[in-house]
Amino acid sequence: MTARSRTPILIGISSCLLGQKVRYDGGHKLDPFLTDTVGKFVTFLPFCPEMEIGLGTPRESIHLEGSPEVRRLVAVKSGRDLTDEMRAYAEAKA
C-alpha cells in the first residue's frame, strides 16, 4: 500500500516462490526476500499454471520447444503436447 492509498498492490506470483510444494518434483522455491521484504508492501495472488491445468505434483517436467513463431509446451518424457490447455488457461486467467 502507498501512503496515500489503502488499496493493496496486487501481484501475481508463482505459488512455488511462496513455499507451496507445487513444483514438478514436489518441492518449492521459497524466496524469503519476496515473502519477508516485498510481502510487507503488497498482496500476493499465488497461482500455479501447471496445477491449474490438472498436472498435479510430482509430475513429469515440461518445456517449450519449437521456433519462436511456433512454440509448443511439451511433457519431456511422454511427448504430451500441453500447448492448447495452457493457452486456454492463460487466456482465462488474464
Side-chain angles (χ1 to χ4, degrees):
M1 285 189 280
T2 65
R4 293 185 223 176
S5 169
R6 295 287 179 212
T7 303
I9 299 169
L10 302 175
I11 296 180
I13 187 169
S14 179
S15 299
C16 65
L17 295 175
L18 298 180
Q20 294 179 20
K21 294 180 178 181
V22 295
R23 288 175 48 85
Y24 73 95
D25 59 3
H28 63 78
K29 286 288 186 178
L30 177 64
D31 187 323
F33 174 75
L34 291 172
T35 57
D36 300 343
T37 304
V38 178
K40 293 177 184 177
F41 306 100
V42 302
T43 298
F44 290 124
L45 297 172
F47 67 97
C48 177
E50 295 88 349
M51 293 288 287
E52 293 187 39
I53 66 167
L55 294 182
T57 186
R59 64 181 165 268
E60 181 178 4
S61 59
I62 58 177
H63 68 219
L64 292 172
E65 61 181 46
S67 67
E69 296 79 23
V70 186
R71 288 264 188 236
R72 304 303 295 176
L73 181 63
V74 178
V76 174
K77 291 181 182 176
S78 69
R80 180 178 168 199
D81 189 326
L82 300 161
T83 307
D84 294 338
E85 292 168 76
M86 189 61 77
R87 184 171 287 129
Y89 164 78
E91 288 174 3
K93 193 75 168 174

